[in-house]
Structure formats: structure tokens, C-alpha cells
């Protein structure tokens, strides 16, 4: 089934201009980026999806955020910059950014129930489409001026996210044993994910899934803290 461009072309271009302040040149790139998870369509005899754009967008966003933080915090150490970057581009934050900038208005229906990370994935694919359409400098300017400006960056990067340390401290204080077990590794949208579960006194508690073991541990620790009413 071919993608129905006659439905999306004019409204999509108008919405992108309204939300982000620019007019797309190659609208098809954005249509492709906003395909729902696992959706595929035909173009010039090729089957396409948004997975390749998501892969590229991840790298572009990483570079732009790194440069942005480097310039904005000239006295920050490498470790501090890394922490701030991880807080800005982790999956949870990307999902939040996608909602706050209005990206959900551009997506096809019935997406949220498929994958809780769909918004963040679509944001990365959208950034890749913007990069291929307008180039790196224009992409950097749009993200900085039309996306970052809508967010409370200071609030995001200053949030306390070391749930693992907080849980370990609580366990040690109460003389409970604890363990972060790696349960599974799998690929989603071409990216490797890890499943980690917290055990306290050999009993399973919270579980976390992310693209790095450390991030999955943090999510598992957060879920455990919430389960124990410690947050």
C-alpha cells in the first residue's frame, strides 16, 4: 500500500512551518520520519520505514546537544557535560520533548499504544529528515532556536536522576541485600536494548528497559523506589 501523500502533503507542510518556523523542501522525508512504528511503504520500488532516519537522527542530535552544552557551560568538566547530555537525550526526555514541541500533532493515530518510546523515536527521525533536507547548520539553528527555546533546559539537566545510588543507600541503611540483574538483551527499531531487574533480599522488584545497562538500572531503581513509596 502506498503512503497517501495527497492527505498529508499540504497540512503537514503548514503544521511544520507553524510549529518549527521553516518550510520543508523535501516533504517526503518528513512523511517517512513520521510513519508509525514498523509501518512500511513503497517508494520507487523500495520498501521504506523511518528506522534508518531514526538511526541517523540519533547521531545528529547527539552532536548538536554536545555542541550546545559545550558552548553554554564553558566551565563544566567532561563528566558534568556527559551527565547533562545524558539527561537531555535519554529516551524519557526525548518523549517529553516530542510532546512539548507538538510533534504528536504530526503523527499518525494509534501510535502511543504501540510503543511508549514512539514519540522520542519519531523525534530522532524528524531531526534526520531536517538534516537531509536543510543541512547540518540549519538543523542546528532550528533545534536550538525552535526546540530548546521551548524547554526548561536548566530544569531538565539539574534533575536528580541517580535513583540507583539512592536505592543502594536505602538498602545499606536497612541492611537489605540488593542486586541489579541483566535479564535480557533485544533489538528494537535496530537498536540494542537491555532489561534489568532489581532484587532486594532475593525478591524481584522494579524493572527497567533502555539502550544502555546503566540507564536500564536507573529505571529499574526508580520503579523500585516508587514501589516502596520512597519517591
Amino acid at each position: 500500500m502506498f503512503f497517501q501523500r495527497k492527505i498529508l502533503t499540504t497540512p503537514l507542510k503548514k503544521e511544520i512551518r507553524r510549529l518549527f518556523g521553516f518550510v520543508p523542501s523535501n516533504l517526503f522525508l518528513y512523511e517517512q520520519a513520521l510513519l508509525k512504528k514498523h509501518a512500511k511503504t513503497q517508494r520507487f520500488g523500495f520498501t521504506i520505514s523511518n528506522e534508518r532516519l531514526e538511526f541517523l537522527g540519533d547521531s545528529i542530535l547527539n552532536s548538536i546537544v554536545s555542541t550546545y552544552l559545550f558552548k553554554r557551560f564553558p566551565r563544566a568538566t567532561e563528566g558534568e557535560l556527559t551527565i547533562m547530555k545524558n539527561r537531555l537525550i535519554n529516551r524519557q526526555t526525548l518523549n517529553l520533548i516530542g510532546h512539548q514541541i507538538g510533534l504528536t500533532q504530526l503523527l499518525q493515530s494509534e501510535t502511543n499504544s504501540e510503543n511508549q518510546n514512539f514519540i522520542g523515536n519519531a523525534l530522532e527521525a524528524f531531526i534526520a529528515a531536517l538534516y537531509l533536507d536543510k543541512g547540518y547548520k540549519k538543523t542546528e539553528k532550528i533545534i536550538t532556536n525552535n526546540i530548546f527555546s521551548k524547554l526548561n533546559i536548566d530544569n531538565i539537566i539539574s534533575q536528580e536522576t541517580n535513583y540507583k545510588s539512592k536505592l543502594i543507600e536505602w538498602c545499606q541503611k536497612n541492611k537489605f541485600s540488593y542486586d541489579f540483574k541483566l535479564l535480557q538483551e533485544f533489538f528494537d527499531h535496530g537498536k540494542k536494548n537491555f532489561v534489568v531487574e532489581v532484587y532486594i533480599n532475593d525478591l524481584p522488584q522494579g524493572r527497567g528497559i533502555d539502550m544502555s545497562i546503566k540507564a536500564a538500572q536507573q529505571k529499574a531503581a526508580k520503579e523500585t523506589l516508587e514501589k516502596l513509596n520512597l519517591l
Side-chain angles (χ1 to χ4, degrees), residues 83-94:
I83 291 173
M84 289 188 284
K85 183 185 72 172
N86 290 340
R87 290 177 180 175
L88 271 177
I89 63 176
N90 66 48
R91 193 56 44 184
Q92 182 178 358
T93 304
L94 291 181

Side-chain angles (χ1 to χ4, degrees), residues 67-220:
T67 302
Y68 172 82
L69 294 173
F70 182 85
K71 292 179 178 179
R72 179 166 178 179
F73 301 98
R75 297 187 179 183
T77 65
E78 177 193 4
E80 291 169 339
L81 290 172
T82 298
I83 291 173
M84 289 188 284
K85 183 185 72 172
N86 290 340
R87 290 177 180 175
L88 271 177
I89 63 176
N90 66 48
R91 193 56 44 184
Q92 182 178 358
T93 304
L94 291 181
N95 293 335
L96 176 64
I97 291 174
H99 282 290
Q100 290 186 347
I101 66 177
L103 189 64
T104 50
Q105 300 176 39
L106 308 181
L107 301 175
Q108 297 186 47
S109 60
E110 300 180 3
T111 54
N112 292 336
S113 61
E114 291 181 339
N115 185 336
Q116 62 178 347
N117 292 327
F118 180 81
I119 302 301
N121 295 340
L123 175 60
E124 290 179 334
F126 184 86
I127 289 172
L130 176 56
Y131 163 72
L132 293 173
D133 186 34
K134 301 295 185 180
Y136 184 86
K137 288 295 184 182
K138 183 70 172 180
T139 300
E140 183 178 32
K141 182 178 180 180
I142 290 172
I143 290 177
T144 302
N145 296 339
N146 294 80
I147 295 181
F148 287 171
S149 63
K150 298 180 181 179
L151 306 173
N152 190 332
I153 300 295
D154 291 331
N155 184 56
I156 293 175
I157 63 180
S158 65
Q159 289 178 353
E160 176 55 56
T161 59
N162 200 346
Y163 301 110
K164 182 179 178 181
S165 294
K166 185 173 183 177
L167 179 61
I168 290 175
E169 182 180 351
W170 179 82
C171 288
Q172 292 175 339
K173 180 179 179 180
N174 291 278
K175 298 183 179 180
F176 294 150
S177 65
Y178 61 88
D179 191 15
F180 290 79
K181 294 185 179 181
L182 178 61
L183 300 183
Q184 183 185 0
E185 300 177 19
F186 67 94
F187 283 88
D188 178 35
H189 244 59
K191 296 183 180 181
K192 193 172 186 178
N193 282 256
F194 301 90
V195 182
V196 172
E197 190 165 45
V198 173
Y199 282 75
I200 296 179
N201 286 346
D202 297 322
L203 295 176
Q205 301 293 331
R207 181 175 294 192
I209 303 174
D210 208 287
M211 289 181 290
S212 74
I213 294 178
K214 289 184 178 180
Q217 289 176 339
Q218 289 287 352
K219 289 184 177 180

